[in-house]
Amino acid sequence: MTTTFISSASMMLTSESVTEGHPDKLCDQVSDAVLDAMLAQDPMSRVACESTVTTGFVSILGEITTNAYVDLQEVVRRTVREIGYSSSAVGFDWETCGVLSSIKEQSGDIAQGVNKSYEARMALNEVEQYDMVGAGDQGMMIGFACTETDEYMPLTLVLAHRLVRRLAELRKDGTLKYLRPDGKSQVTVEYAYGVPKRIEAVVVSTQHEPEVSEETIRRDVEQLIIRNVCPAELLVDTKIFVNPTGRFVQGGPASDAGLTGRKIIVDTYGGIARHGGGAFSGKDPTKVDRSGAYAARHMAKNLVAAGLAERLEVQVSYAIGVAHPTSIGIETFGTAKIDEAEIDRLARKHFDMRPAAIIDRLDLRRPIYRQTAAYGHFGRNDLDLPWERLDKVDVLRAEAGLPAIRALGA
């Protein structure tokens, strides 16, 4: 696939990812597990749940307004167990760790901008009701897509995610029994005029049992993980680093405190696209940090899959309590296949970016979020996520005067 977003003959780009056992990712998963538990009982729950973790201790805090009753201790411990922190020997124990909850109701000043008047909305038709539901906060969100991979995501990030997922798979299925839950990856790709040319460097760091040798870890990770994931034709003069410090026994919360929302680049586009600054995990869909970013990805992916551009970034912004976005901006990096003004017109026509419209269109009041809290929220062909569906490709191509095609991943 070709693109022209890089005009130079050689440019290096890098993305990273982390395993589900990374302390920050553990917190993301706890926060989204709490959100899912609330939404499963009360789809109208308002949730803003933050989590922190340190040695032997998890705390959850924030604002929640709901009719659900959830055993928060059980949710936290189950999540920690599923990640793999099963004993103090691996640095954290789901059964004995302390769990502290400090939850209060959502601020009325914030709620009034989202709620408006229920009675007033009920007197309107569905489309008019969307104008009555304002954004839960101000801010800007980014959506991005490109033709580098079948996932319509940057190659650097796709490979980084695959590496840490492979680490987790081989740990959980017993192939590499000495692996522990914490770990990270990093991939640097050399591009030539926008086209991936070769992998410059791969870094994999994995927590492990103390008895295993550095040589065994390096051999297994390189052969069973790196060379299993990375295309052989791109592994040309590639620098490979496995546990560069030589030892990674102490990991997880025992070695580093964790916090929800501290891996927002891992969650999105690996630093290849811009970022609005808002985290996702622990937030219900009235928070446009989450729903707005999902809708922007849905827009960007369908526009690229429709063949209107090879690389496209959407920025959408909101004012708290106001339904209509304050701005929608689209950048194609010189890869547009039709007039950019026409791309903008089609985007605005077929993607209603009012928060209530997004929630309805993508059916976001469901417990679907815990599964996104590790290995990325976008480009997840392993999950049926509504913002990843290519459901606008045909109508976009038809209105652009282009013949019907079968898009990648459709």
Side-chain angles (χ1 to χ4, degrees):
M1 296 180 180
T2 61
T3 185
T4 58
F5 78 99
I6 297 175
S7 60
S8 61
S10 178
M11 181 178 182
M12 303 290 183
L13 293 175
T14 301
S15 296
E16 71 161 355
S17 186
V18 298
T19 64
E20 60 209 67
H22 186 281
D24 295 329
K25 268 288 142 229
L26 187 158
C27 291
D28 286 340
Q29 291 165 92
V30 166
S31 293
D32 270 342
V34 170
L35 171 64
D36 278 359
M38 299 289 179
L39 292 175
Q41 294 184 38
D42 178 8
M44 303 303 289
S45 296
R46 297 282 174 78
V47 180
C49 177
E50 308 292 341
S51 303
T52 61
V53 63
T54 188
T55 305
F57 181 74
V58 182
S59 66
I60 53 176
L61 59 155
E63 297 77 44
I64 296 178
T65 302
T66 184
N67 291 319
Y69 173 75
V70 172
D71 184 340
L72 296 175
Q73 285 257 348
E74 192 277 332
V75 170
V76 171
R77 294 185 189 281
R78 183 182 70 244
T79 304
V80 174
R81 183 187 71 238
E82 290 172 353
I83 289 169
Y85 285 116
S86 56
S87 72
S88 58
V90 299
F92 206 74
D93 187 346
W94 68 272
E95 289 188 286
T96 61
C97 67
V99 178
L100 175 66
S101 172
S102 180
I103 300 292
K104 60 183 183 296
E105 285 194 341
Q106 184 183 51
S107 161
D109 293 344
I110 295 174
Q112 69 177 353
V114 179
N115 293 339
K116 298 296 175 80
S117 167
Y118 178 80
E119 293 79 8
R121 294 207 311 271
M122 291 305 99
L124 303 173
N125 64 42
E126 183 181 74
V127 175
E128 291 171 327
Q129 287 182 37
Y130 294 158
D131 279 336
M132 296 293 292
V133 181
D137 201 354
Q138 71 174 49
M140 61 282 192
M141 298 85 221
I142 301 295
F144 177 80
C146 62
T147 57
E148 284 180 27
T149 62
D150 289 351
E151 294 89 346
Y152 293 95
M153 292 286 285
L155 177 64
T156 50
L157 184 61
V158 167
L159 293 178
H161 282 324
R162 288 179 183 171
L163 287 168
V164 288
R165 289 192 70 175
R166 179 76 173 160
L167 269 178
E169 289 169 3
L170 298 187
R171 169 175 62 88
K172 291 179 177 181
D173 70 13
T175 300
L176 297 179
K177 295 181 179 179
Y178 59 79
L179 295 182
R180 289 178 173 177
D182 199 358
K184 303 180 77 172
S185 68
Q186 183 174 287
V187 177
T188 301
V189 172
E190 179 183 0
Y191 289 78
Y193 302 105
V195 179
K197 180 180 177 182
R198 52 181 285 274
I199 297 173
E200 165 69 13
V202 177
V203 183
V204 175
S205 296
T206 179
Q207 188 187 13
H208 58 87
E209 293 180 353
E211 296 80 12
V212 65
S213 70
E214 181 180 349
E215 293 74 18
T216 296
I217 297 170
R218 178 180 173 83
R219 180 198 67 220
D220 289 347
V221 169
E222 180 172 341
Q223 294 302 320
L224 300 180
I225 296 171
I226 295 173
R227 296 192 180 278
N228 178 273
V229 165
C230 297
E233 64 273 16
L234 296 181
L235 290 173
V236 179
D237 297 326
T238 302
K239 302 178 183 70
I240 294 177
F241 302 91
V242 177
N243 283 5
T245 66
R247 181 177 171 86
F248 188 0
V249 173
Q250 184 174 1
S255 65
D256 191 11
L259 180 66
T260 298
R262 213 157 53 180
K263 286 291 175 283
I264 58 177
I265 299 301
V266 172
D267 286 342
T268 53
Y269 305 103
I272 305 304
R274 282 164 279 206
H275 198 291
F280 300 155
S281 291
K283 297 178 181 178
D284 76 83
T286 66
K287 279 72 172 176
V288 286
D289 275 345
R290 181 165 222 157
S291 54
Y294 289 170
R297 163 63 176 177
H298 186 228
M299 178 191 290
K301 185 177 181 181
N302 275 269
L303 291 170
V304 169
L308 306 189
E310 294 181 4
R311 190 177 190 89
L312 188 145
E313 185 179 88
V314 176
Q315 185 196 71
V316 59
S317 65
Y318 294 91
I320 188 169
V322 179
H324 287 271
T326 54
S327 68
I328 298 175
I330 296 176
E331 169 64 63
T332 64
F333 307 96
T335 70
K337 302 304 180 183
I338 64 173
D339 185 75
E340 290 189 342
E342 179 65 3
I343 294 177
D344 185 81
R345 184 191 72 81
L346 290 171
R348 292 173 185 271
K349 177 179 179 180
H350 292 287
F351 299 89
D352 190 337
M353 300 299 281
R354 290 174 294 178
I358 293 169
I359 291 169
D360 282 357
R361 182 172 73 251
L362 300 180
D363 193 13
L364 295 180
R365 295 190 186 277
R366 298 179 291 141
I368 59 174
Y369 300 106
R370 160 70 196 284
Q371 61 187 342
T372 68
Y375 312 121
H377 293 244
F378 307 127
R380 296 295 299 274
N381 290 348
D382 58 313
L383 304 175
D384 181 20
L385 301 174
W387 54 89
E388 291 295 311
R389 294 174 186 162
L390 299 175
D391 49 7
K392 300 286 187 179
V393 168
D394 290 342
V395 67
L396 289 170
R397 286 188 66 82
E399 290 202 24
L402 300 174
I405 59 169
R406 180 170 179 80
L408 293 173

